[in-house]
Amino acid sequence: MGRLENKVAIVTGAASGFGANIAQAIVREGGKVIAADIDIEGGQNITEQLNKSSPDSAAFVDFDCTKKVAWEVGLQTAIDKWGKLDIVCSNAGVSYRRKPTAEVTEDEFDRVMGVNVKALYQAVVVIVPYFEKMKRGVFCSTSSVAGGRVRPGQGIYGCSKGAVNNLIQALAAKYGPSGIRFNAVAPLRAPTKIVGVIQGEGWKDSKEEWEKFGKTVPLQRVTTMEDISNAVVYLISEEAAFVTGVILPVDGGRLAV
């Protein structure tokens, strides 16, 4: 029996990157997934893959995580298809090209704060009342090491992830008595689409560049997709039943140096 047997989860940003890997890990552990993403083709593709590996394990929802109605549809889809919702993985995230904060446009600011912070708020507004009735439920957000130690040129992005960290801890304190747990994982740089956006011009997505970066990490490598999905599976499973309010760095020790 898998660690998430018969658990039902919404995973945002499920079409690619961490989200796709988290969705795959949940299904491998016996769970069901609402694959939520604005990338319709990518979301449908990952849903098809999941259902091939495990029939009736996934459903796709065209999902703008910044909108309350998307969370309402996601919750209702989970209930209609599998009778319940147990887990929310608020994973979708965006950034902008690395640059001084004074050069960040208002549109960029609004988009980063919307997807990275407002989405979690909307999830709480819609899902927490349902979890309170159930007297249980789990949230796990994808934060970033930038939420604890932001680098130059990432000010607003780091600010958004710092907000996620603070909100997760506040929510854990508030809703723990209701049986609802809130945690987050904080990845280091990993081979996802957002890396190229953050690094901007001059960044070379090459084996040599990744190896060079890996040497700056105490454990001498960069974060993998599996590092993140393994951490998420732990935090949303019953193995972590007494774990809440945790921002778990999955950074190979980078924040320690």
Side-chain angles (χ1 to χ4, degrees):
M1 180 178 290
R3 290 183 289 170
L4 300 172
E5 198 72 26
N6 297 319
K7 298 291 187 180
V8 180
I10 292 175
V11 180
T12 65
S16 62
F18 292 143
N21 205 263
I22 290 167
Q24 291 164 343
I26 290 171
V27 169
R28 281 197 303 272
E29 291 292 339
K32 312 290 187 182
V33 171
I34 298 293
D37 208 299
I38 58 173
D39 178 355
I40 296 174
E41 182 178 0
Q44 290 174 337
N45 286 342
I46 191 65
T47 300
E48 183 178 349
Q49 292 172 28
L50 294 171
N51 284 326
K52 280 184 178 179
S53 67
S54 179
D56 193 39
S57 65
F60 171 70
V61 175
D62 182 4
F63 201 97
D64 180 347
C65 62
T66 68
K67 306 297 184 185
K68 181 180 178 182
V69 65
W71 290 99
E72 291 171 338
V73 170
L75 174 59
Q76 193 60 52
T77 301
I79 293 170
D80 290 345
K81 190 165 181 61
W82 294 299
K84 61 174 183 171
L85 179 69
D86 303 288
I87 298 160
V88 172
C89 292
S90 182
N91 165 77
V94 296
S95 188
Y96 50 85
R97 179 182 59 80
R98 182 189 294 269
K99 56 185 171 181
T101 298
E103 297 177 13
V104 174
T105 69
E106 187 172 355
D107 285 345
E108 288 171 331
F109 177 92
D110 288 345
R111 183 166 180 262
V112 166
M113 298 304 288
V115 175
N116 297 357
V117 184
K118 186 178 180 181
L120 177 56
Y121 156 76
Q122 297 286 31
V124 167
V125 168
V126 174
I127 307 298
V128 161
Y130 171 79
F131 281 169
E132 286 182 306
K133 290 178 182 177
M134 300 292 288
K135 298 184 179 179
R136 59 176 174 77
V138 182
F139 282 77
C140 187
S141 290
T142 302
S143 181
S144 168
V145 295
R149 185 185 294 174
V150 64
R151 292 332 197 236
Q154 296 178 293
I156 301 305
Y157 175 72
C159 176
S160 73
K161 294 303 186 177
V164 167
N165 295 350
N166 282 320
L167 184 54
I168 285 290
Q169 292 174 330
L171 292 166
K174 171 62 179 175
Y175 295 107
S178 298
I180 308 170
R181 297 191 295 111
F182 289 83
N183 294 297
V185 293
L188 184 62
R189 183 190 300 177
T192 62
K193 292 178 181 178
I194 200 171
V195 171
V197 175
I198 292 174
Q199 298 303 316
E201 296 179 6
W203 163 252
K204 295 181 180 179
D205 188 4
S206 65
K207 180 181 178 181
E208 292 74 21
E209 188 68 29
W210 283 106
E211 288 179 348
K212 179 181 177 182
F213 180 74
K215 291 177 181 177
T216 71
V217 179
L219 291 184
Q220 296 289 288
R221 67 172 178 82
V222 296
T223 313
T224 67
M225 299 296 181
E226 289 71 25
D227 291 328
I228 303 306
S229 60
N230 288 340
V232 169
V233 166
Y234 165 68
L235 289 173
I236 63 178
S237 74
E238 291 304 310
E239 293 173 5
F242 202 58
V243 178
T244 194
V246 167
I247 313 302
L248 179 62
V250 188
D251 67 349
R254 183 69 182 274
L255 285 181
V257 297

